[in-house]
Amino acid sequence: MSLRIVVCVKYVPDATGDRQFTEDLTVNRDDVDGLLSELDEYAVEQALQIADEADDAEITVLTVGPEDAKDALRKALSMGADKAIHVEDDDLHGSDVMATSLVLAKAIEKAGYDLVITGMASTDGTMGVLPAILAERLGVPQVTLLSEVKVEDGTVTGRRDGDSASEQLEASLPALVSVTDQSGEARYPSFKGIMAAKKKPVESWDLSDLDLEAEEVGLEGSWTAVDSAAQRPARTAGTIVKDEGEGGKQLAEFLAGQKFI
């Protein structure tokens, strides 16, 4: 039986761009370029490595987002994933992590899966809690923040590296894992892969396909909301310490005043 792997990926604003909020205090995605979240590329890479070792495996990449989010799916497909699912609906606008995890869980269940793989966090929100919430919604064990992943005989195993020690973890499939940016460099799509991605299937689903109502997602269905936002103040000029014999003392006083020492 084929190993069914679902990789959750996110289309995020380019961190090098000038990011702004809209009037409803959601991220303005129209005026900035987007791309596949770099941390999710590691999840795609680990799925590809697992599939290479399996006798038979199929990789589905899944995203929730606007029309342009298909670009993130195409990148994952060009890396080597087999097919993609795009959940797009105007009522999803403003969904927080709780609403997004609900949509992802419904889509994953509809698609069918043995193993779900995510990145450690998104590069825009950087909350890092979605994998745990998603595993809870799916009712499967979670093995998170792994720097090494293997699947064998219906079990997923992995290594989680901490500051002072490493842990060896395992869970029976079906399960969810998240991987860190230490799990291995993501491969660069080849020209052949890019051309092949154009022929791979991309399904489009909306809320009705997942038996969800508008009030369960979006700004209305979210558990959290941004109350206010302000432009980051411009960077001020630094303090210059001229060494005329007292430079070391002045530097020490400055660092002490900032409570750095």
Side-chain angles (χ1 to χ4, degrees):
M1 182 176 178
S2 176
L3 175 65
R4 299 168 299 171
I5 304 173
V6 176
V7 185
C8 298
V9 300
K10 189 176 183 181
Y11 181 74
V12 299
D14 189 342
T16 63
D18 184 18
R19 292 173 290 178
Q20 304 287 338
F21 285 108
T22 60
E23 292 183 359
D24 61 6
L25 296 179
T26 59
V27 176
N28 184 350
R29 298 179 181 272
D30 294 331
D31 297 332
V32 63
D33 292 333
L35 71 169
L36 170 62
S37 176
E38 180 183 359
L39 293 175
D40 290 341
E41 291 186 17
Y42 295 98
V44 176
E45 175 62 32
Q46 289 306 304
L48 293 170
Q49 292 189 23
I50 291 170
D52 288 342
E53 294 295 325
D55 294 331
D56 185 17
E58 182 178 62
I59 301 173
T60 302
V61 284
L62 165 66
T63 196
V64 176
E67 172 66 24
D68 289 344
K70 283 187 172 66
D71 292 344
L73 296 176
R74 291 297 179 193
K75 173 69 177 294
L77 291 172
S78 67
M79 291 173 66
D82 299 300
K83 60 181 183 178
I85 298 170
H86 180 201
V87 181
E88 179 188 9
D89 197 299
D90 290 342
D91 289 324
L92 287 168
H93 173 73
S95 295
D96 69 353
V97 67
M98 297 302 295
T100 300
S101 66
L102 174 62
V103 176
L104 286 171
K106 291 287 189 180
I108 291 169
E109 289 172 340
K110 181 179 174 68
Y113 70 100
D114 298 299
L115 178 66
V116 178
I117 306 180
T118 75
M120 61 188 290
S122 63
T123 54
D124 54 352
T126 64
M127 294 181 67
V129 297
L130 185 138
I133 297 172
L134 183 54
E136 179 68 18
R137 288 195 183 278
L138 293 171
V140 299
Q142 54 174 299
V143 188
T144 55
L145 300 175
L146 301 182
S147 55
E148 182 180 276
V149 188
K150 291 183 179 180
V151 175
E152 189 175 11
D153 297 329
T155 300
V156 57
T157 60
R159 189 185 75 244
R160 179 190 293 157
D161 295 324
D163 293 335
S164 58
S166 294
E167 301 173 284
Q168 292 292 334
L169 307 169
E170 68 175 43
S172 298
L173 298 181
L176 179 146
V177 303
S178 70
V179 298
T180 71
D181 54 358
Q182 301 301 309
S183 58
E185 197 67 28
R187 68 193 64 185
Y188 191 81
S190 64
F191 177 75
K192 181 179 179 181
I194 294 172
M195 297 305 294
K198 297 180 179 181
K199 299 179 180 180
K200 293 179 179 179
V202 178
E203 292 189 59
S204 294
W205 295 346
D206 59 18
L207 291 180
S208 64
D209 292 313
L210 303 177
D211 295 324
L212 288 173
E213 302 295 333
E215 56 267 22
E216 297 180 84
V217 298
L219 292 171
E220 183 181 354
S222 292
W223 293 24
T224 60
V226 178
D227 290 330
S228 63
Q231 189 76 19
R232 177 184 294 176
R235 181 178 293 180
T236 58
T239 301
I240 299 176
V241 176
K242 294 183 179 179
D243 187 6
E244 297 177 352
E246 296 290 324
K249 181 179 178 181
Q250 293 180 54
L251 179 58
E253 291 175 349
F254 172 79
L255 294 174
Q258 299 296 318
K259 296 183 179 181
F260 291 139
I261 59 174

